[in-house]
Amino acid sequence: MGFSLDEVVPWGRSYDEYVSMFDLTESNLELRVLGCGDGPAAFNSALSKRGGNVVSVDPIYVFDAAQIRSRVSDTYETVMTQMRKNKNDYVWGAIPSVEQLGNVRMSAMKTFLADFEIGKQEGRYIAGELPSLPFESGRFDIALSSHFLFLYSTHLSAEFHLQALQEMLRVAREVRVFPLLALDGAPSPHLDFVSKYLENHGFGVEVKRVPYEFQRGGNEMLVIKPV
């Protein structure tokens, strides 16, 4: 997939964060769920233990648990230093401090690492990356993208975003993307382009407020479904 582990900064989010970020209901959580770019998040492990049907896809899954654990250890303090430096860019509510953020992130990553090898054997963690997913059309009910699309708008073109969303819509009947801000906290410049294109090609596109805000102003997701 053309990258090495030393290019990756693992940063896992918790199950509760996923539920809030994507405003997932109990009925949503009973669907066939795909997480795109999940990285070392706890969502797959926690939902699977609750009897859910979930698959996560990420290029980092070509590595084994020991390699990912080592990379987490190597990068953790660097990330925490950046968080302390930029703490005014975040809302300290449900997570009240930088120190507590570190605890939440590390707990999520430990949950992931404990589940990763068995999850790979069960086909719940699959190496792959947008904009080309290794799944047949219509396999999932809902596809989620957390902290990848739109967030990296300066690195990834509008055309890449459109291709990625079309690919997610190929394999799932509903797509949700969070957040809609770029890394600098400004609204993604690609949102209008992809929304208009998809609306003109038979999809309903909605920007929906969610009960989650950590990056300041990042409290909306994009929901896309066929009309």
Side-chain angles (χ1 to χ4, degrees), residues 21-22 143-150 165 168 175-180 220-224:
M21 287 189 299
F22 295 108
L144 311 174
S145 174
S146 159
H147 295 86
F148 177 59
L149 295 176
F150 301 122
L165 292 169
M168 292 171 73
V175 167
R176 299 185 185 185
V177 182
F178 177 92
L180 306 184
E220 293 178 326
M221 69 172 170
L222 190 67
V223 181
I224 310 168

Side-chain angles (χ1 to χ4, degrees), residues 12-194:
R13 288 165 178 87
S14 71
Y15 174 83
D16 289 342
E17 286 182 289
Y18 263 67
V19 170
S20 295
M21 287 189 299
F22 295 108
D23 199 20
L24 296 170
T25 64
E26 287 300 319
S27 58
N28 292 153
L29 293 166
E30 294 172 358
L31 300 174
R32 296 171 300 165
V33 180
L34 172 66
C36 295
D38 279 349
F43 179 69
N44 190 309
S45 174
L47 182 56
S48 296
K49 288 177 181 175
R50 289 168 165 80
N53 184 342
V54 56
V55 172
S56 297
V57 60
D58 195 289
I60 199 176
Y61 301 156
V62 299
F63 303 105
D64 62 31
Q67 290 172 305
I68 298 172
R69 183 180 292 106
S70 177
R71 185 60 181 163
V72 168
S73 178
D74 290 345
T75 60
Y76 177 78
E77 282 304 328
T78 300
V79 176
M80 290 297 289
T81 297
Q82 287 297 314
M83 292 302 304
R84 293 184 188 99
K85 179 181 176 181
N86 300 312
K87 64 181 180 180
N88 291 336
D89 295 338
Y90 299 91
V91 176
W92 302 100
I95 300 174
S97 67
V98 175
E99 289 67 32
Q100 184 59 25
L101 174 71
N103 293 337
V104 170
R105 293 284 175 268
M106 190 57 76
S107 176
M109 290 189 283
K110 286 179 178 177
T111 296
F112 162 81
L113 288 165
D115 181 57
F116 181 55
E117 296 299 345
I118 185 65
K120 281 181 77 170
Q121 294 173 22
E122 294 173 353
R124 292 188 286 109
Y125 298 107
I126 295 178
E129 60 186 314
L130 292 168
S132 181
L133 297 172
F135 307 111
E136 65 273 18
S137 297
R139 175 170 170 182
F140 301 97
D141 298 307
I142 186 168
L144 311 174
S145 174
S146 159
H147 295 86
F148 177 59
L149 295 176
F150 301 122
L151 191 65
Y152 293 96
S153 290
T154 58
H155 302 82
L156 302 170
S157 69
E159 289 73 20
F160 177 93
H161 279 72
L162 180 58
Q163 291 171 13
L165 292 169
Q166 289 175 313
E167 180 72 345
M168 292 171 73
L169 288 162
R170 180 184 68 80
V171 303
R173 59 182 175 85
E174 178 178 338
V175 167
R176 299 185 185 185
V177 182
F178 177 92
L180 306 184
L181 302 180
L183 281 170
D184 64 0
S188 169
H190 303 327
L191 181 59
D192 186 59
F193 168 77
V194 298

